[in-house]
Amino acid sequence: MKTFLSIITLSLWLFACSSDDTANAKLEIRLTDAPGDYEEVNIDVRSIEIHSDEGDLESGWRTLSINPGIYNVLELTNGLDTLLGATELPAGHVSQIRLILGDNNSVKTNGVVTFLKTPSAQTSGLKLKVNADLKPGITYAITLDFDAARSIVAKGNGGFNLKPVIRALSEATSGAIKGIVLPLDAAPAVFAVSTTGDTLATAYTDASGRFLLRALDPGTYTVKVSPKTGYAPTEKIGVSVTLGTVTDAGTISVP
């Protein structure tokens, strides 16, 4: 246990964070590309919004915190991607993503850079269907797969238009462990410890004794319980975590 003892001494703010966010999921937005026959395809990403309802009411849209900028999507081929942003949000259904682009979109061919326009994506945004259900404690990635070959359209005067063709692909990238520790008065810290002895997630029980150890890679963990003075530490070994699943460790009794 390389970090087990040091984590026990974390300040009280950790308790507040861990007990309040058990209904949240983590969402990452990534960008990748299918290759096109160009030297560069530069996309000016300004904003990304998500919609949590099946309808299209404006009140359902939520703006994410991202890294805005100009991305050469041809650098993101053959399995490569880049992280645009990540956020925590209440678990539930995400129906759409809206991608809003700026004015500095361009394509480079034969050493010549030509600027592109995409009015619909710059104003109302380019809407992409997602239909993903986010579970508490799980990390998800929505990858925007930009198809450069189909998105760049040659004009009759020798210029180009940008008509983005993008797929939104969602997948879970982690698992989690939940459970209950009794008695409630033990008020313990709970840790997920890997087979190498590293502590990879930390939580405190809530008023009902529940805990959630989040964002864990698939594998086998030991759940260690460190209660307050007057109770003895205990653990549960061999807790398996699979991708996109919250494993229930059941009730753990503290002696």
Side-chain angles (χ1 to χ4, degrees), residues 93-218:
H93 186 72
V94 174
S95 60
Q96 299 179 75
I97 282 184
R98 181 156 60 192
L99 175 65
I100 299 173
L101 302 182
D103 297 324
N104 295 318
N105 306 291
S106 64
V107 60
K108 184 177 181 180
T109 57
N110 300 317
V112 177
V113 174
T114 303
F115 284 93
L116 307 165
K117 291 184 179 180
T118 172
S120 61
Q122 292 169 5
T123 54
S124 62
L126 180 68
K127 294 179 182 179
L128 308 169
K129 294 290 186 181
V130 177
N131 291 325
D133 292 310
L134 311 184
K135 299 178 183 178
I138 304 298
T139 299
Y140 294 85
I142 295 180
T143 301
L144 305 182
D145 187 5
F146 187 95
D147 191 332
R150 297 170 61 197
S151 298
I152 308 301
V153 180
K155 298 193 298 183
N157 61 4
F160 297 92
N161 282 331
L162 175 62
K163 297 183 178 180
V165 177
I166 304 173
R167 293 188 304 159
L169 310 174
S170 63
E171 62 176 348
T173 62
S174 77
I177 299 172
K178 69 177 182 178
I180 297 174
V181 178
L182 297 176
L184 299 181
D185 191 51
V190 186
F191 308 91
V193 181
S194 70
T195 55
T196 62
D198 291 314
T199 298
L200 299 181
T202 308
Y204 282 79
T205 55
D206 63 13
S208 301
R210 297 173 301 178
F211 66 87
L212 180 64
L213 296 163
R214 310 167 44 146
L216 296 171
D217 290 333

Side-chain angles (χ1 to χ4, degrees), residues 66-82:
I66 68 164
N67 301 312
I70 299 173
Y71 295 85
N72 178 11
V73 294
L74 294 188
E75 295 178 346
L76 305 174
T77 60
N78 298 322
L80 298 178
D81 61 35
T82 190

Side-chain angles (χ1 to χ4, degrees), residues 29-51:
I29 305 296
R30 296 183 171 273
L31 179 66
T32 191
D33 177 43
D37 190 20
Y38 306 100
E39 296 170 30
E40 294 180 7
V41 175
N42 300 299
I43 303 302
D44 184 8
V45 178
R46 294 291 95 198
S47 178
I48 293 177
E49 301 171 355
I50 62 171
H51 199 283

